[in-house]
Amino acid sequence: MLDFIPSLPIASWVDDAVKWVTNTFEFFFDPVKDQFGWLLDTTAEYLSMIPPIVIILLVAVLAFFMSGKKFGLAAFTIIGLLFIENQELWSELMYTFTLVFYSSLLAVVIGIPVGILMSKSNTAESIIRPILDFMQTMPAFVYLIPAVAFFGIGMVPGVFASFIFATPPVVRFTNLGIRQVSTELVEASDAFGATGQQKLFKVELPMAKPTIMAGVNQTIMLSLSMVVIASMIGASGLGRNVLSALQRAEAGAGFVAGFAIVILAIIIDRLTQNLNKPNQ
Amino acid sequence: MPVIEVDNLSKIFGKRSKEALSLLDEGLSKEEILKKTGCTVGVNRAKFQVEAGEVFVIMGLSGSGKSTLVRLLNRLINPTAGDVYVHDDNLSTMNKEQLRRVRREKMSMVFQKFGLFPFRTVLENTVFGMEVQGMDKEEREKKATDALELVGLGSFAHQYPSQLSGGMQQRVGLARALANDPEILLMDEAFSALDPLIRKDMQDELMDLQEKMQKTIIFITHDLDEALRIGDRIALMKDGSIVQIGTPEEILMNPANDYVEKFVEDVDRSKVLTAENIMMRPETVDFDKHGPRVALERMREQGLSSIYVIDRTRQLKGYVNADDVLEARNNQVTSLKEIIKDDMPTVEMETPVQEIFDIIHDAPVPVAVTEEGKLRGIIVRGTLIAALANVNGNGVEDNA
């Protein structure tokens, strides 16, 4: 019916755009790929060199104190991590942890300032919000392709893909948390002559902290959920075991690696939730 | 020389505010402007002056624009038109930096719901204004401690606001506003969130403080009683406009128009006010625990000639006179039971004020307000007359 409009060549435009970006920003992508890739590999390697029992005990002690000196989480941590060690997935666990750690860190470091910007300006909010929707709903496989074009294969594009998928919650929660600070408190800080910066750091961020921490927790969980997809573009870790189990139809191996991811997720989730103790 | 001068100050909320402003000048009403432009008139060409040391009350019902008006005074809300002068400086034309200096040095604000930062201790809340000015820590904490002492919260410095009662929280709000010794205090319905008895205490305390400090206070309220109690002058607001400014006397005697008259009439409190509304906190002794010495000491402290006696469960037992107690003490009597009298007038919490008037007339002691035999408060002649006089001068004469 609409034959008189020729099919628009969007796909080839995007191809051209990706090519152009890859070539034009090579000077940026290449050093990032090399140096960030080196950082990721080195971190994971160093972590793998530490005897597992040391890490297990450290995490258990951390869990004990952070959960208010209760034994539940510490016990779960010890049993869970010993299980992973027992299944000979320890070094994969270290790689996965490294991937999650750096992508979450990147998401938080970039996401919180963007969330603050969004909360301060309605224009910024109306521009950023659809971008966040895009990042969260666009199927991950779609941006794996340009990720490989930019960063080659390995851990770096894995971090990039996780970052895209995992950043929106921390941005949204930061925005929400700051906008939810009661008018009276904002007025109080203005009425006493606080500058914008003082208001942000002395009133708004402390008030929004519980909400922002809920966002950080979500971000970490989402980046963890990306490890299998990241392994498709060469990121090492537990995801790769799941992927190869899938390819060889090995239900058992797949289950074990998947279970290890779940254990890691629960430990990280409970630990970060305990960071989020309510204010007085 | 007024401290604050407000000239033709208007605030119109909405996108077509300029257009609405010119309609306002043409004399259209708030409703007509809303219909024509979709804009809401918050404050309509307000004009008044506040002198140094004056308590200026802005009173009106909710939606009358009083909270908007007070926020225009420190530009928490930017005016659509008009000027606010603090001494000779026009706030309306100030840039951010100048405005900040005025907010830091000249005026501070007390909020209806206290506006305390829940993650900061009482002391940390109180230093806030000085902290943002960059005053050094030792100095600001000293000033904050002094301010907390002033409102009687010296020992609560390291508690969190949530650990305090409403009345105490608002004292922190007051201390925070006073800590930096500003010239002007803006109080936005500062006592409206408090229980009636505590509210009255706070009003008295504010008046005591004001006697010492002589600040210029702009006090917002919707409560006529409160306005009459604390205001040197009262501005009555309706639909964003100030309809009358005057002393409490003037407002009551010569209401400027029907609205004010209705307002004043509406509050014919003698019909609706009950003993509970006007009672004060009683001074008491407990005859299970206390003897003549304690009774005498309490009377001396409070300047009373008699004091009510209760038992451990607050059941009202009677009263004792200073003379009898003195005699008992000199005769080495240790219990109050022998000199207790029980011919005191008592009323229930729900007794209308009008009825109390007949009782109080020839009572030897203040009227006791009881609930199931327990002493809840007392009423003295002065407060009763004041409560009645607020609303109908004639009523007092009729009954007297």
Side-chain angles (χ1 to χ4, degrees), chain A residues 184-196 198-199 202-204 206-207 279-280, chain B residues 71 74 76 100 103-104 108-109 111-119 128 131-132 160 176:
Chain A
E184 213 177 53
L185 294 186
V186 175
E187 282 185 337
S189 90
D190 283 336
F192 284 99
T195 61
Q198 286 171 328
K199 180 164 70 174
K202 288 179 192 290
V203 178
E204 290 173 324
M207 286 303 291
N279 283 318
Q280 275 287 343
Chain B
R71 281 165 175 72
N74 61 357
L76 281 180
R100 206 148 46 220
R103 286 171 173 176
R104 285 177 176 184
S108 49
M109 191 159 176
F111 294 86
Q112 180 171 8
K113 291 183 194 120
F114 322 135
L116 300 178
F117 306 119
F119 52 89
F128 184 80
E131 184 181 322
V132 299
Y160 284 90
R176 180 174 65 178

Side-chain angles (χ1 to χ4, degrees), chain B residues 116-329:
Chain B
L116 300 178
F117 306 119
F119 52 89
R120 286 174 161 241
T121 63
V122 166
L123 184 69
E124 286 164 354
N125 265 288
T126 314
V127 298
F128 184 80
M130 297 174 285
E131 184 181 322
V132 299
Q133 285 178 39
M135 188 185 286
D136 71 61
K137 193 170 163 144
E138 204 171 308
E139 189 182 354
R140 70 186 187 225
E141 290 196 342
K142 191 189 165 301
K143 286 194 173 186
T145 311
D146 291 346
L148 287 171
E149 293 289 345
L150 197 66
V151 299
L153 285 181
S155 50
F156 294 87
H158 299 293
Q159 309 243 330
Y160 284 90
S162 58
Q163 293 169 290
L164 307 182
S165 69
M168 288 156 90
Q169 290 189 33
Q170 193 55 299
R171 276 166 217 258
V172 178
L174 192 57
R176 180 174 65 178
L178 292 174
N180 192 34
D181 198 26
E183 196 178 349
I184 301 162
L185 267 188
L186 304 176
M187 305 186 70
D188 179 25
E189 302 237 20
F191 303 148
S192 299
L194 304 175
D195 295 331
L197 272 184
I198 295 170
R199 189 188 309 170
K200 238 187 276 174
D201 286 350
M202 291 292 284
Q203 290 163 358
D204 292 343
E205 210 171 304
L206 181 69
M207 292 296 92
D208 290 346
L209 283 172
Q210 172 64 357
E211 215 163 277
K212 284 183 241 162
M213 309 179 304
Q214 293 295 314
K215 303 274 178 208
T216 303
I217 300 179
I218 313 271
F219 194 102
I220 308 296
T221 183
H222 63 260
D223 177 0
L224 183 62
D225 281 344
E226 188 167 66
L228 296 170
R229 240 172 119 91
I230 65 174
D232 293 324
R233 282 192 305 147
I234 299 169
L236 259 149
M237 279 190 89
K238 186 205 177 194
D239 291 344
S241 307
I242 294 181
V243 287
Q244 186 175 9
I245 300 181
T247 63
E249 282 306 309
E250 286 164 3
I251 301 259
L252 291 172
M253 301 301 283
N254 307 307
N257 60 22
D258 290 353
Y259 173 74
V260 182
E261 196 170 339
K262 215 178 229 162
F263 206 105
V264 174
E265 258 174 21
D266 268 356
V267 218
D268 186 348
R269 293 303 166 91
S270 59
K271 298 210 175 64
V272 279
L273 269 189
T274 62
E276 185 181 3
N277 302 124
I278 60 164
M279 68 189 186
M280 302 189 307
R281 183 164 293 157
E283 278 303 318
T284 57
V285 285
D286 178 343
F287 75 174
D288 291 326
K289 287 189 290 198
H290 303 139
R293 277 161 211 282
V294 175
L296 216 51
E297 178 60 22
R298 281 215 184 141
M299 280 187 265
R300 196 187 57 75
E301 254 172 34
Q302 304 292 329
L304 305 170
S305 59
S306 60
I307 193 164
Y308 273 113
V309 182
I310 55 171
D311 68 7
R312 213 165 261 138
T313 58
R314 285 198 79 78
Q315 289 288 330
L316 178 61
K317 291 300 176 190
Y319 68 96
V320 291
N321 277 323
D323 296 341
D324 297 344
V325 178
L326 194 64
E327 204 186 313
R329 192 197 66 176

Side-chain angles (χ1 to χ4, degrees), chain B residues 28-39:
Chain B
L28 270 72
S29 76
K30 192 175 170 173
E31 282 76 31
E32 288 169 315
I33 290 173
L34 180 64
K35 212 174 274 174
K36 280 199 167 165
T37 64
C39 291

